[in-house]
Structure formats: C-alpha cells, structure tokens
Amino acid sequence: MSFAQPPLIYNQHGSIRHVGVELEYTHVEPLMVVRDIQKLWSGRHHEVNSHVHKIKDTELGDFTVELDSILLSSGKYTEFLQKMGVDGDTLILGDDLEALLANVASVLVPYELVTPPLPMDQLHHAETLRECLRQRGALGTRSAWRFAFGLHFNPEVPSFEVSSILAHLQAFCVLYPWIFRESAIDYTRRISPYIDEFPAEYLKLILQPEYAPDMGQLIEHYLEHNPTRNRPLDMLPLFSYIAPDLVDRYPIESELNKSRPTFHYRLPNSLVDEEDWRIAHPWRYWVEVEKLAANSHVLHAMSQELLELLHSPLSIISWQWPGKVEGWLQ
C-alpha cells in the first residue's frame, strides 16, 4: 500500500519534508531488530546498555531500539496501573534495575523502534521494517489487554508561520472525533495516560473565527490549557523548539519532552502483529489533517459548525460529528 502525500511535501526552504516514525511493540529482542536493520541498510551497532541500542550511520540515518523505561522511571505508568488494578507504587526503580525492567517489559513496557527522519516520499522504508517485526513475531496493541502500545508520527512542519501551525492544530481538533472513530482506538489506550483529548474550553478558544494569536500567545494559550504531553497531537516538542524558555515556565513533563521541528501525532494503535495492517493506514488520517489545514475556507466552516456543537452535550459530538466530517471530506 502506498503512502498518501499531503498537499505540502516541501518545507519553507524548498527541501522535502521528513517524518520520523516511532513504533511500539513487544516479544522481539532488540538485537534481532538491530540485525534486521543492518541487513537492510548496513550501519554500526552501538549498545548504550542492555535496553538501549543505537544503529548509527545506516543508509537512512540513525535508528534506536529501546525499552521505554523512561516512562516507567518517571512514574507515568502509575495512574494507568491503578486503573488496571495494579499497585504502581511498587514499581520503583531500585538497585536491581536490570532485573526489574526485564520483568516489567514482558508485562507492560513496550520496546520502541525509532526511525531516523525519513523523506515523505520514502515512508515505505518504515513499512519494510514493520513487516520484519511482524515476521519476527512482534506483538502489538490488541495482543493483550494490558498493551497500550502506540504508533507515533513526527512530520516536519511545512512552515514556522504561526498561521500555518495554528491551522494544523485547528484542523486536527476538527477532525479528531472522526479520526478517533475510524482508528478504532483500543480501550486500554483510551484509559492510559497518553492520549487524552483536548479540553472543550480550549477548542472553544482556538476555533473562534477571530482567534489570531502571535506565536507567543499561541504557545501560552496551549500550555495554559494543555500543560502535558498527554494529548493525541502533542505540540510540546514543536513549541519547545520554537520557544524553549517560554515552555520551561510551565510544569510539563520536561524529562519526556524532546525539542524538534515537528508535530507529534501519537493517537494510532500499533497493530504490528496483524497481517493486513500497514503503517500507511493511520498515516492517511494525518494527511487529511494537512489537507484541511491547507483549505482555509472549509476549515473555517467546519470550525464554526463544531463550535455550535460544543455548546451541546459532548456525547453528541462523539456520535454526530464524525458523520458530518465524512460529508465535508467528500
């Protein structure tokens, strides 16, 4: 399956935009993935420790395969564990770090495969690697009730103009209920502390036709309503890249935030073990976001209609709005 392309595949400097892909899975040891990457694109293996492996200087760039232990050590699993009936307070990193992580990894913590930024017209390389993982027996989101595994895209922004960044954020918020329904987000991921939807009050602010902030105001308003990375479209890496001092004023999860000139779309499931699933499937929903962001007339009309619904019970949005979105997209 080919990858859909957004309307703007070049950045403001005329270079093709890049996309980083992060795929979470379990049941395949990192060294096996390292060997597959080297077989495909050469490169040097650098073992940071038994849970973090770098594959440097491949034909595509640098890959990382790691146990997502920073989430565990930062305590972000606590809320999720408690919801699942597990005492998260018992999972405290002590002296026996290696043994603890080895035990937890098979139960809750995914391995994460991070690609280098890939040119938008070369995303098929991520699909090649996904198929390697599937053939190796990797397990994804739906393999067990406790697997809140995700697929993340980091598309480079087409422009640093505030109007462009705002349009993409608005477009995502307008399409979110439809994307959520079409993506069939797994229940475990819904209750996990990673992809909470944007607050209604924030939507009422940014979808107003008269909302025209400068960059500082856009970032401040975002942080006032969303002082967390726990959003399906996490804007903090981009805002940290643009205005790090401003972002640092707010109580965010700074240990998890990596500054980069990209959007961080983290809603999709990771269905790496399902034979008919492709990374290109959830990617097409992001492309719809970019298409809408590029069509100011339709974006404005859809925003106005959603604003009206926001004054109704939120349950109406979840069942009524996706159908309206389909009509607009057609």
Side-chain angles (χ1 to χ4, degrees):
M1 180 179 183
S2 61
F3 280 80
Q5 295 294 299
L8 298 175
I9 64 171
Y10 296 97
N11 61 26
Q12 59 188 2
H13 302 297
S15 300
I16 192 164
R17 294 167 60 200
H18 287 65
V19 185
V21 180
E22 304 169 24
L23 184 62
E24 296 177 340
Y25 67 94
T26 190
H27 203 59
V28 177
E29 293 297 320
L31 287 178
M32 300 175 71
V33 182
V34 169
R35 286 196 289 269
D36 285 339
I37 292 172
Q38 289 181 310
K39 182 177 179 180
L40 287 166
W41 303 296
S42 67
R44 299 180 293 105
H45 174 213
H46 171 59
E47 182 174 338
V48 179
N49 57 53
S50 60
H51 303 293
V52 179
H53 298 260
K54 305 282 187 179
I55 307 91
K56 297 186 174 183
D57 302 324
T58 78
E59 295 171 11
L60 302 179
D62 296 347
F63 290 80
T64 300
V65 184
E66 62 184 343
L67 184 68
D68 202 358
S69 58
I70 189 169
L71 293 178
L72 180 65
S73 62
S74 66
K76 293 303 169 186
Y77 272 96
T78 302
E79 179 184 348
F80 173 57
L81 289 170
Q82 291 172 345
K83 289 182 179 180
M84 307 308 292
V86 179
D87 182 7
D89 293 335
T90 64
L91 293 176
I92 300 174
L93 298 186
D95 295 333
D96 196 6
L97 176 62
E98 296 291 320
L100 174 63
L101 291 181
N103 289 333
V104 172
S106 63
V107 179
L108 285 171
V109 183
Y111 287 107
E112 185 175 48
L113 170 59
V114 182
T115 74
L118 301 170
M120 281 199 169
D121 59 355
Q122 295 184 32
L123 280 169
H124 60 276
H125 292 307
E127 207 75 271
T128 300
L129 204 46
R130 174 209 53 79
E131 179 61 16
C132 288
L133 283 170
R134 190 188 69 81
Q135 293 184 9
R136 289 282 192 184
L139 299 179
T141 310
R142 294 176 181 161
S143 297
W145 62 268
R146 60 188 180 272
F147 290 169
F149 301 166
L151 166 68
H152 301 178
F153 293 110
N154 297 283
E156 178 186 354
V157 296
S159 169
F160 285 99
E161 294 292 331
V162 63
S163 58
S164 173
I165 294 173
L166 174 59
H168 283 78
L169 181 55
Q170 291 170 325
F172 179 81
C173 291
V174 166
L175 295 182
Y176 170 76
W178 172 75
I179 295 174
F180 188 91
R181 186 193 70 178
E182 294 298 302
S183 300
I185 301 303
D186 187 78
Y187 176 75
T188 304
R189 298 198 68 232
R190 297 184 191 195
I191 66 172
S192 66
Y194 309 126
I195 54 170
D196 283 353
E197 62 187 50
F198 288 102
E201 291 304 313
Y202 182 62
L203 301 186
K204 292 176 183 177
L205 170 66
I206 69 168
L207 297 181
Q208 295 179 66
E210 62 271 18
Y211 185 65
D214 60 29
M215 186 65 76
Q217 291 169 330
L218 176 65
I219 295 174
E220 287 179 342
H221 293 162
Y222 181 91
L223 288 165
E224 288 166 2
H225 291 270
N226 309 280
T228 178
R229 295 200 63 199
N230 181 11
R231 294 291 181 266
L233 177 59
D234 173 21
M235 299 293 290
L236 291 180
L238 174 59
F239 289 157
S240 294
Y241 183 88
I242 295 172
D245 293 339
L246 179 56
V247 174
D248 286 344
R249 298 177 194 171
Y250 290 81
I252 64 169
E253 305 97 323
S254 56
E255 74 281 1
L256 301 179
N257 191 35
K258 297 179 180 178
S259 168
R260 53 197 171 203
T262 71
F263 300 108
H264 185 42
Y265 175 48
R266 58 207 304 259
L267 179 63
N269 297 320
S270 172
L271 307 182
V272 63
D273 52 324
E274 299 187 12
E275 188 171 356
D276 61 347
W277 183 74
R278 301 290 184 271
I279 292 175
H281 294 159
W283 169 252
R284 71 180 186 268
Y285 297 126
W286 176 256
V287 171
E288 291 295 340
V289 171
E290 297 220 3
K291 287 180 179 178
L292 182 56
N295 190 331
S296 59
H297 175 72
V298 176
L299 176 57
H300 174 76
M302 293 181 72
S303 298
Q304 288 299 103
E305 192 165 346
L306 180 55
L307 274 173
E308 294 178 7
L309 277 181
L310 284 169
H311 295 287
S312 306
L314 292 182
S315 59
I316 292 179
I317 296 176
S318 64
W319 66 263
Q320 185 178 9
W321 185 247
K324 288 183 174 290
V325 168
E326 287 181 349
W328 280 105
L329 294 181
Q330 292 172 1

